[in-house]
Amino acid sequence: MKVICSAERQKVHYPRSFLVNGAQQPNPEQPGRVDRLLAAATAGGHEIVAAVDHGLAPIAAVHTPEYIRFLQHIHERWARIPGASEEVIPNIHPDRREASYPLSAVGQAGYHMADTACPIGPDSWESIYWSAAAAATAAALVRDGGDPAYALCRPPGHHAFTDLAGGFCFVNNSAVAAALLRGRYDRVAIVDVDLHHGNGTQGIFYRRADVLTVSLHADPIRFYPFFWGHAHERGAGAGLGYNLNLPLPRGSEDDAFLAALDRGLEQVAAFAPGALVVALGLDAFEGDPFGGLAVSTPGFAEIGRRLAALGLPTVIVQEGGYLCDALGDNLASFLAGFEGA
Ligand SMILES: [Zn+2]
């Protein structure tokens, strides 16, 4: 399978700050994730291809102009504030999205950042841009050729809304891929198997009937992202019925995960999409530092097998999955399963 990655460019974003229950800890979304995943893809015999520069158009298809400008320029503006932190971290938020848009860097950081898990440093935009370019490159290959492709995106994207960063995510790479596929296919489905609910992806397509969003994840009643991912969220307006959330009890193992996946895939089949985006988080793994679900390494192969059985042109987009001994093995397992090995 073609693996799209511009590793050096995607590694310069190096977030340091991360608050866990109010306490500072190292940020788990580390550049080394790229090396682990790329090494596994290379060892698996996959063809590594650099991302093609698609410009801003694929990003602008799913994000607002003011948000893109914010991501591009906020760090240099922030650095001019006397005494400001080295990374952009918000400390004030509007209580709702209809609030007025501020001019100040501090105000805009609060407006465009949902939480403190996605600090922006001097080189963040470079990695954000090329991560999105990897998704766009993979989607263009699938759109034009049909063979599946894997975008090794980092930073990840599924917590990013149209104008809001959050949870290590800035540009929604899975949404970028889906929007690009819509250029050829009338209907596109996104299946998100990350440990966490794909709240940004849901938000972007919530009122649309042309993109079905399905997410399997640890029940958000006591887990990030808390405010989204519940089963009753089914879409709105024209999009009512085109969002499916499948929350799972904490600690769920392969059997429960695969049963939920089958429910999601039934919905996908009924939607009859022309193409599929897999938002591939590997953090549902039993040994992932987040410890939310308990999917095994062979379990990822079975997830890949069942997604491939849809027989659709497919873009696989890397989402979460954090540093642990089996991170690369889990990717290798998924890709081998997807390819029927
Ligand atoms: Zn995750």
Side-chain angles (χ1 to χ4, degrees):
M1 188 182 306
K2 281 201 167 73
V3 170
I4 321 302
C5 184
S6 296
E8 295 314 311
R9 287 167 156 158
Q10 290 178 231
K11 282 163 56 180
V12 294
H13 168 60
Y14 192 170
R16 310 299 168 111
S17 179
F18 184 50
L19 283 179
V20 180
N21 308 323
Q24 276 285 356
Q25 290 196 9
N27 193 298
E29 207 289 279
Q30 301 212 356
R33 296 178 61 240
V34 173
D35 297 322
R36 295 279 190 94
L37 295 167
L38 196 57
T42 305
H46 300 285
E47 181 189 353
I48 315 297
V49 181
V52 174
D53 190 350
H54 280 72
L56 287 175
I59 298 173
V62 291
H63 293 288
T64 64
E66 65 191 15
Y67 179 59
I68 295 170
R69 274 197 301 277
F70 168 81
L71 292 176
Q72 287 175 297
H73 301 297
I74 188 59
H75 187 267
E76 67 201 46
R77 293 169 57 207
W78 190 265
R80 290 198 292 266
I81 303 172
S85 55
E86 287 184 19
E87 300 180 305
V88 180
I89 303 166
N91 58 268
I92 182 168
H93 300 278
D95 74 329
R96 62 201 67 213
R97 303 303 297 162
E98 308 83 58
S100 299
Y101 190 67
L103 282 179
S104 95
V106 173
Q108 288 180 7
Y111 190 90
H112 288 304
M113 300 169 90
D115 53 50
T116 54
C118 42
I120 296 174
D123 302 313
S124 296
W125 173 249
E126 171 86 352
S127 293
I128 295 164
Y129 180 86
W130 285 99
S131 185
T137 302
L141 283 168
V142 170
R143 178 196 60 192
D144 300 338
D147 288 340
Y150 165 60
L152 201 172
C153 292
R154 188 273 165 180
H158 73 149
H159 296 308
F161 288 72
T162 187
D163 63 351
L164 188 65
F168 315 144
C169 300
F170 303 90
V171 163
N172 193 312
N173 305 305
S174 291
V176 163
L180 211 140
L181 290 168
R182 276 284 291 105
R184 172 168 177 185
Y185 303 100
D186 290 340
R187 290 183 306 287
V188 174
I190 303 175
V191 177
D192 188 323
V193 297
D194 189 282
L195 165 64
H196 303 95
H197 174 239
N199 55 332
T201 315
Q202 169 175 305
I204 288 171
F205 298 111
Y206 206 60
R207 294 179 171 275
R208 287 172 54 168
D210 59 332
V211 177
L212 172 71
T213 44
V214 175
S215 181
L216 292 79
H217 45 265
D219 193 330
I221 197 80
R222 291 182 184 278
F223 205 69
Y224 188 91
F226 302 107
F227 316 114
W228 303 275
H230 304 275
H232 65 84
E233 298 158 23
R234 299 180 52 243
L240 184 62
Y242 295 92
N243 183 77
L244 176 63
N245 286 327
L246 298 162
L248 292 159
R250 290 281 290 276
S252 291
E253 300 177 358
D254 289 351
D255 286 352
F257 196 94
L258 291 167
L261 180 64
D262 286 345
R263 274 189 62 200
L265 297 184
E266 275 175 31
Q267 189 104 349
V268 171
F271 180 63
L276 173 71
V277 174
V278 178
L280 178 63
L282 297 167
D283 44 4
F285 175 54
E286 57 191 347
D288 187 89
F290 279 96
L293 295 175
V295 173
S296 69
T297 299
F300 285 107
E302 187 56 30
I303 293 168
R305 238 173 255 125
R306 294 189 189 190
L307 287 161
L310 289 168
L312 291 165
T314 301
V315 181
I316 300 159
V317 175
Q318 184 64 46
E319 298 285 0
Y322 299 92
L323 292 176
C324 59
D325 288 345
L327 178 59
D329 295 340
N330 293 337
L331 174 64
S333 178
F334 177 90
L335 293 177
F338 193 90
E339 291 194 316

